[in-house]
Amino acid sequence: MKKFKTESKKLLDLMINSIYTNREIFLRELISNASDAVDKLYFKSLTDSDVQLSKDELAIHVGFDEGARTITISDNGIGMTKDELDKNLGTIAHSDSQAFKTDNAEQQGDDIDIIGQFGVGFYSSFMVASKVRVVSRAFGSDEAWAWESDGVEGYTIAEAERAEHGTDVILALKENTDEDNYDTYLSEYGLKDLIKRYSNYVRYPIQMEVSKTREKPKPEDAGDDYKPEYETYTETDTINSMIPIWKRKKSDVTDEEYNEFYKTNFHDFADPARTVSLHAEGALTYDALLFVPSRAPYDLYSKDFKKGLALYSSNVLIMDKCEDLLPDYFNFVRGIVDSQDLTLNISRETLQHNSQLKAIARRVEKKIKSDLENFLEKDREGYEKFFENFGRGMKYGLYTSYGTAKDVLGDLLLFYSAKQKKMITFKEYVKAAADGQETIYYATGDSVERMAQLPIVTTVLAKGYDVLLCPEDVDEFCMMAMSDYAVPDAADPDSLTAWPLKNVGGENLGLESDEEKKEAEETAESNKDLFEAMKSALDGKVEKVAVSTRQTDAPAFITTEGGVSLKMEKILAGAPKSAEEEDAVKSHRVLEVNAKHPVFEVMQKAQEAGDDEKVKLYSGILYDQALLVEGIPLDDPVAYTEAVTKLMK
């Protein structure tokens, strides 16, 4: 027996037990090795006129023997001599394929695509096998040799028999344990599943003997009561698809083929809303095929949902869901990215250099944004349906990015226009804005219908300005993160003008005229004592009572000062918090009083007459009514009804 040339049992143990996290990839590695061997022979046929070979003759065969507990992976590729067996399999981490790639880098491409890099994939066999036997016959040689090892100390090489060039890798599986059931690999279904999952797009046919059922021929003397009989037979089938759909020209693929690929591979019964293909060449060459689902998956907003695109390297699956390829706000996108230029780590399960992944992710993000903008422009009805499904996540993504993603998402968001009575974009809001307007106004609340009737909304509408109505919990956080929306300057299209976003329920919007402002200041000054009495009567419920400059028929309404609105207070109040955080979720409420309403005159007279009880009664009723209009539950509904009843006496 020869010792492994590294003479390091620890290194071999590392290869077998530590590099790979998922033992089922052993078949992926062995098929990739077989594909490389076939590729090398095909390359030889392209560069050596003495080698007459058709690509159709090349294939990989996978079989199993349940009784003997063996799995065999065979190819009719380049094969290995005795010395090559010794060098390639006897020296851990020696990659003949990597050397081949380096020597023939210019030919790597559509015709030749060598997968191997590190020379350790073969040793993944020992994760499932107690013994591995490799029988190989080099192309052009009459001799075959067998390499055999239990993966512990060393290996043997002896003469063997093989009818033609190529290599057989025979795995004798380990015995089952309480933790591991190796029998799962000794079945037609188990092997086909692994082939389709990891090696479905290897460029050469991966064939298996599969069991099928067919009806037996009907006997000539069969009577009227004859019942069909069936028999089981075996037939060689090609298991893999070979040519990835993303490598085909888009003009050669029908919508039906794309839809079927999406539904089959991403387990959806509905066609995708959008299909996006991308091919990039240059320092980093890759293909991407992306899908926007037509409906949100049931777990999209659950903690168990995992985003990501399937990552392939040279048509071999590396990761089911590579999270780094998608930003959180596009987490709904499904698809694949395939590149032969990725620098993989030794196990091919993750990447060594994130810079490559980041470069691809940036391009993918731009492509998704571009396609969604096209979707919005060309199919408004379809886009609005898409936004119903996925808009919430995009808004949340803008908030969690602290507004840094607004250049990506700003033009994709939709909000309900109180003036136009439909969903519109920021761009459409600005385009329809009134002359002289430089601010985007919005309101938050529980429903569009309720918000449309709020005095703080109708006041702004009366001024000729539109208001975006935002009923979702995330809307206000999104608007605050967005902060402003930049549009090209009318005088200088190369420069941008920022339109700030303002909550109409917040501090003074500055919409009053100088005359209205002066009148309000005079009213506030002459009724200073009344406002102090009203604030005192409300006992800390408001920061202040003020004269409203908003044109409204309501006697009073609630606004806020600072960064916490009524809607935000309601949302934050329902979130888990510590005792120290309790006060942080309180809004600074302001009771704005309509000085032109008859109720205000009644309160002025009560103040002048020294009727403190009446001032207190009216203050409480006005405050509670303002809360009801906002859709905020009263702290004490009984006290409110009693107060209203007193008015009738």
Side-chain angles (χ1 to χ4, degrees):
M1 175 182 287
K2 289 188 177 185
K3 295 285 186 180
F4 286 111
K5 291 185 180 179
T6 58
E7 295 181 354
S8 172
K9 184 177 179 180
K10 289 184 179 179
L11 180 58
L12 180 59
D13 183 69
L14 177 68
M15 296 295 125
I16 299 170
N17 299 313
S18 301
I19 289 178
Y20 298 97
T21 58
N22 183 5
R23 67 165 48 89
E24 67 183 19
I25 56 83
F26 79 92
L27 190 60
R28 176 193 74 183
E29 296 299 311
L30 295 179
I31 288 175
S32 295
N33 289 347
S35 176
D36 285 349
V38 173
D39 243 352
K40 291 171 189 175
L41 181 57
Y42 182 59
F43 176 78
K44 190 175 183 68
S45 74
L46 296 177
T47 56
D48 187 345
S49 59
D50 293 334
V51 179
Q52 299 298 314
L53 184 71
S54 169
K55 194 172 184 179
D56 295 337
E57 300 172 28
L58 302 173
I60 301 165
H61 187 87
V62 177
F64 69 97
D65 185 329
E66 190 172 3
R69 292 181 57 76
T70 60
I71 297 173
T72 301
I73 298 91
S74 301
D75 66 71
N76 57 351
I78 195 75
M80 288 179 280
T81 64
K82 178 182 179 182
D83 289 343
E84 287 170 338
L85 278 171
D86 191 29
K87 180 175 65 174
N88 295 337
L89 303 187
T91 304
I92 300 172
H94 170 79
S95 176
D96 186 57
S97 291
Q98 180 60 43
F100 184 92
K101 287 176 71 173
T102 303
D103 294 341
N104 301 281
E106 293 182 0
Q107 282 75 28
Q108 183 87 348
D110 292 338
D111 291 326
I112 303 298
D113 190 9
I114 299 297
I115 301 168
Q117 297 184 52
F118 298 103
V120 300
F122 168 77
Y123 299 98
S124 66
S125 307
F126 291 105
M127 292 192 297
V128 299
S130 59
K131 185 173 69 174
V132 178
R133 178 178 171 85
V134 180
V135 179
S136 191
R137 176 177 166 180
F139 180 80
S141 173
D142 295 330
E143 296 179 332
W145 297 89
W147 180 99
E148 195 167 318
S149 175
D150 60 3
V152 179
E153 297 288 349
Y155 58 94
T156 62
I157 296 180
E159 290 187 30
E161 295 291 331
R162 198 177 197 277
E164 60 176 9
H165 57 83
T167 302
D168 303 320
V169 179
I170 304 107
L171 310 182
L173 295 192
K174 295 177 180 179
E175 295 297 328
N176 296 330
T177 66
D178 291 340
E179 294 80 20
D180 301 306
N181 180 14
Y182 298 99
D183 286 352
T184 56
Y185 308 124
L186 288 172
S187 69
E188 180 184 311
Y189 172 81
L191 292 177
K192 285 172 65 175
D193 178 61
L194 293 183
I195 292 169
K196 284 185 172 293
R197 195 186 319 168
Y198 291 104
S199 307
N200 197 32
Y201 304 110
V202 167
R203 64 172 65 222
Y204 297 103
I206 303 173
Q207 299 174 337
M208 277 185 65
E209 292 291 325
V210 298
S211 297
K212 298 184 177 181
T213 303
R214 63 189 173 195
E215 185 178 342
K216 290 183 178 180
K218 183 178 179 180
E220 294 182 3
D221 58 350
D224 295 337
D225 58 349
Y226 171 78
K227 293 182 179 179
E229 296 181 357
Y230 296 88
E231 62 181 358
T232 300
Y233 68 103
T234 59
E235 185 175 86
T236 300
D237 262 7
T238 296
I239 308 303
N240 61 323
S241 300
M242 289 184 284
I243 301 176
I245 193 171
W246 58 85
K247 290 285 182 71
R248 295 162 59 186
K249 291 182 180 179
K250 189 171 183 179
S251 57
D252 294 338
V253 184
T254 65
D255 290 341
E256 289 74 19
E257 287 177 304
Y258 277 132
N259 293 344
E260 190 57 35
F261 175 84
Y262 165 75
K263 289 187 286 189
T264 300
N265 287 271
F266 299 104
H267 313 295
D268 197 349
F269 61 80
D271 291 341
R274 305 288 288 181
T275 299
V276 184
S277 62
L278 170 63
H279 176 72
E281 292 184 347
L284 195 60
T285 300
Y286 57 91
D287 294 282
L289 182 59
L290 312 173
F291 299 96
V292 175
S294 57
R295 62 188 185 90
Y298 72 93
D299 60 344
L300 178 63
Y301 297 112
S302 76
K303 63 180 181 179
D304 296 326
F305 182 81
K306 187 176 180 181
K307 65 168 183 167
L309 302 177
L311 180 63
Y312 286 77
S313 179
S314 297
N315 301 348
V316 176
L317 179 65
I318 304 302
M319 300 173 68
D320 276 322
K321 289 187 178 180
C322 183
E323 297 185 64
D324 293 338
L325 285 171
L326 283 177
D328 287 342
Y329 40 82
F330 289 152
N331 67 342
F332 51 85
V333 175
R334 312 300 298 274
I336 67 93
V337 168
D338 185 6
S339 175
Q340 64 185 32
D341 295 334
L342 293 175
T343 305
L344 304 176
N345 78 346
I346 197 168
S347 70
R348 290 203 288 186
E349 293 177 330
T350 54
L351 298 177
Q352 283 185 313
H353 301 299
N354 284 333
S355 60
Q356 295 173 315
L357 211 59
K358 288 177 181 177
I360 296 175
R362 286 193 294 269
R363 181 71 186 276
V364 166
E365 180 186 60
K366 289 180 180 178
K367 188 67 174 179
I368 295 171
K369 177 192 175 184
S370 173
D371 185 76
L372 290 179
E373 287 177 332
N374 183 265
F375 191 12
L376 173 63
E377 180 183 349
K378 301 292 178 61
D379 182 5
R380 185 55 175 255
E381 183 179 350
Y383 186 85
E384 290 189 12
K385 184 176 180 181
F386 151 79
F387 198 78
E388 285 180 18
N389 284 315
F390 303 110
R392 182 184 182 86
M394 293 165 66
K395 294 175 188 175
Y396 186 75
L398 199 150
Y399 163 64
T400 55
S401 72
Y402 301 100
T404 58
K406 66 180 182 181
D407 289 342
V408 177
L409 299 174
D411 288 329
L412 299 175
L413 302 179
L414 294 177
F415 298 94
Y416 189 83
S417 162
K419 191 174 185 180
Q420 301 181 47
K421 292 182 171 51
K422 64 180 182 179
M423 300 293 285
I424 65 171
T425 64
F426 286 125
K427 184 182 292 185
E428 291 165 341
Y429 180 101
V430 171
K431 186 177 181 180
D435 291 341
Q437 183 179 351
E438 297 178 346
T439 301
I440 296 174
Y441 299 104
Y442 70 92
T444 60
D446 293 330
S447 71
V448 166
E449 294 75 18
R450 185 187 293 273
M451 280 185 283
Q453 299 174 14
L454 292 177
I456 54 176
V457 172
T458 56
T459 297
V460 177
L461 290 173
K463 292 282 186 179
Y465 303 138
D466 198 359
V467 180
L468 300 178
L469 306 182
C470 307
E472 292 190 321
D473 291 350
V474 72
D475 283 341
E476 186 164 5
F477 296 96
C478 169
M479 291 294 197
M480 292 180 67
M482 186 82 183
S483 162
D484 58 54
Y485 177 71
V487 298
D489 189 278
D492 182 9
D494 292 332
S495 63
L496 298 175
T497 300
W499 283 49
L501 275 58
K502 285 190 178 182
N503 189 338
V504 297
E507 299 177 62
N508 193 345
L509 300 178
L511 297 179
E512 70 278 3
S513 64
D514 291 340
E515 183 179 341
E516 290 170 335
K517 185 176 181 180
K518 181 180 179 181
E519 183 181 355
E521 290 173 350
E522 292 174 349
T523 302
E525 181 62 30
S526 61
N527 291 276
K528 185 186 299 183
D529 293 341
L530 172 59
F531 290 150
E532 284 297 324
M534 292 178 69
K535 179 182 176 182
S536 177
L538 293 174
D539 193 20
K541 294 178 180 179
V542 297
E543 293 293 315
K544 65 180 180 181
V545 178
V547 176
S548 177
T549 58
R550 309 174 199 244
Q551 297 176 358
T552 175
D553 294 331
F557 49 89
I558 301 289
T559 59
T560 60
E561 293 180 334
V564 182
S565 68
L566 294 174
K567 175 73 172 180
M568 191 177 294
E569 176 186 325
K570 183 178 179 181
I571 296 169
L572 295 176
K577 53 190 175 295
S578 64
E580 293 76 14
E581 296 172 319
E582 189 69 35
D583 293 336
V585 300
K586 299 294 184 183
S587 62
H588 296 165
R589 300 181 180 184
V590 176
L591 180 64
E592 291 197 19
V593 178
N594 181 359
K596 297 180 180 180
H597 196 279
V599 170
F600 185 69
E601 185 179 349
V602 173
M603 296 192 71
Q604 284 178 310
K605 291 179 179 179
Q607 173 70 13
E608 293 169 359
D611 192 344
D612 295 340
E613 187 63 28
K614 191 169 187 178
V615 170
K616 182 177 182 180
L617 176 68
Y618 273 67
S619 297
I621 291 175
L622 287 177
Y623 177 76
D624 285 345
Q625 284 180 337
L627 291 180
L628 289 173
V629 170
E630 292 287 344
I632 299 175
L634 303 182
D635 292 335
D636 191 348
V638 174
Y640 171 71
T641 56
E642 290 176 351
V644 173
T645 302
K646 286 182 181 180
L647 296 178
M648 303 177 184
K649 295 180 180 178

